[in-house]
Amino acid sequence: MTRRLLLSTALELFESKGYAATTVDDIAATAGTTRVTFYAYFPSRSDLMRELIAELNQLLERISSPGHGSTANDLVAAVRDGSREAIGAWLLERSKQWDTIRPYTVAAFEAAAVDPELRGLVDQWIEEVASDIEAGLDQAGRFAPATRHMRGVLAFAQLDHVARNWAQDRERADLDRMIDVLTDSWWRLLSDGA
C-alpha cells in the first residue's frame, strides 16, 4: 500500500512540478511518510521512475519477447496489415489511453533529460516501438529493408508528439481530426498509401 502511494504521489508531483524539481523529500512528505520510508521501498528517485516506466509498459500491454525486448503484437499486426482501416483502428485505440499515459510519458522524457541511466531506458523503449513497426513491415515485405526501422522511428515520433502534446485539453472533435490526419500520415509512411 505504501509503495503504491509513493508511486502515485510521485507521478502526480512529476506531472505538476516536473521530474527535476521533485525531490525524494517532496514525494515522501506529500505521501504522508518519511524519507526513510521512501528509501525502504526505492533506493533512489531514478529507481522509482523505472517502476513507473514498467507500469507504463503494462498500461500499453507490451509483452516481453526473447531477443526483442517488449512487443506490442497489435501494433505489429496493424502495420503488417497496412490498410488505412487497421492503422486507424490501432491509433484510435491508443488515443483512448493518452490521458492515462501522458503523465508517465512526460515524466519519463523529463527524467531522461537529467538522468543518463533513465535516458538509456527511454531510448530503449523508443527503439522497441520502432522495432515493432519495423517487424510489421518485415512481415509484410514492404519497403527496402534498410528504410523500415527509419520509418518506425518517424512514425513513433509523430505518435509520441501528438500523445504528449496535441491531445491535452482539446475538444474530442479536434482530437478525432488529428487521429484522422495521423492515420493518413502513418498509412502513407508505412503502407505506401496513395
Side-chain angles (χ1 to χ4, degrees), residues 137-171:
L137 292 173
D138 287 345
Q139 291 172 16
R142 281 193 303 278
F143 304 109
T147 69
R148 292 174 185 161
H149 190 76
M150 293 174 207
R151 290 172 182 277
V153 169
L154 291 171
F156 176 80
Q158 292 174 4
L159 175 63
D160 175 63
H161 181 79
V162 171
R164 284 195 291 140
N165 298 294
W166 178 267
Q168 194 169 9
D169 301 323
R170 304 277 182 170
E171 295 292 323

Side-chain angles (χ1 to χ4, degrees), residues 5-187:
L5 178 61
L6 289 167
L7 286 164
S8 62
T9 299
L11 188 60
E12 289 171 12
L13 288 171
F14 294 159
E15 185 176 21
S16 64
K17 292 178 64 170
Y19 179 85
T22 302
T23 66
V24 167
D25 289 332
D26 293 334
I27 297 166
T30 304
T33 187
T34 65
R35 179 184 189 91
V36 171
T37 301
F38 177 94
Y39 286 119
Y41 289 95
F42 303 100
S44 67
R45 182 180 61 157
S46 296
D47 288 308
L48 181 142
M49 190 65 231
R50 278 186 195 80
E51 189 68 29
L52 290 173
I53 291 170
E55 283 184 14
L56 174 61
N57 275 330
Q58 289 177 338
L59 289 168
L60 294 172
E61 298 174 357
R62 297 186 61 75
I63 58 170
S64 182
S65 173
H68 180 65
S70 295
T71 301
N73 289 330
D74 53 347
L75 172 57
V76 174
V79 172
R80 179 182 58 240
D81 177 287
S83 69
R84 189 181 188 291
E85 294 75 24
I87 291 169
W90 187 86
L91 289 169
L92 180 62
E93 279 305 304
R94 293 296 71 76
S95 75
K96 294 175 184 175
Q97 294 179 301
W98 288 348
D99 287 339
T100 302
I101 68 170
R102 185 177 299 109
Y104 291 89
T105 58
V106 169
F109 278 85
E110 287 180 3
V114 297
D115 186 329
E117 289 179 35
L118 292 174
R119 184 176 314 123
L121 188 60
V122 170
D123 287 347
Q124 177 186 354
W125 183 72
I126 293 167
E127 281 301 305
E128 288 169 2
V129 177
S131 293
D132 290 341
I133 294 169
E134 179 181 14
L137 292 173
D138 287 345
Q139 291 172 16
R142 281 193 303 278
F143 304 109
T147 69
R148 292 174 185 161
H149 190 76
M150 293 174 207
R151 290 172 182 277
V153 169
L154 291 171
F156 176 80
Q158 292 174 4
L159 175 63
D160 175 63
H161 181 79
V162 171
R164 284 195 291 140
N165 298 294
W166 178 267
Q168 194 169 9
D169 301 323
R170 304 277 182 170
E171 295 292 323
R172 185 70 217 184
D174 287 340
L175 180 58
D176 290 342
R177 279 190 292 277
M178 176 49 77
I179 296 298
D180 193 50
V181 170
L182 186 60
T183 298
D184 278 343
S185 181
W186 271 45
W187 181 54

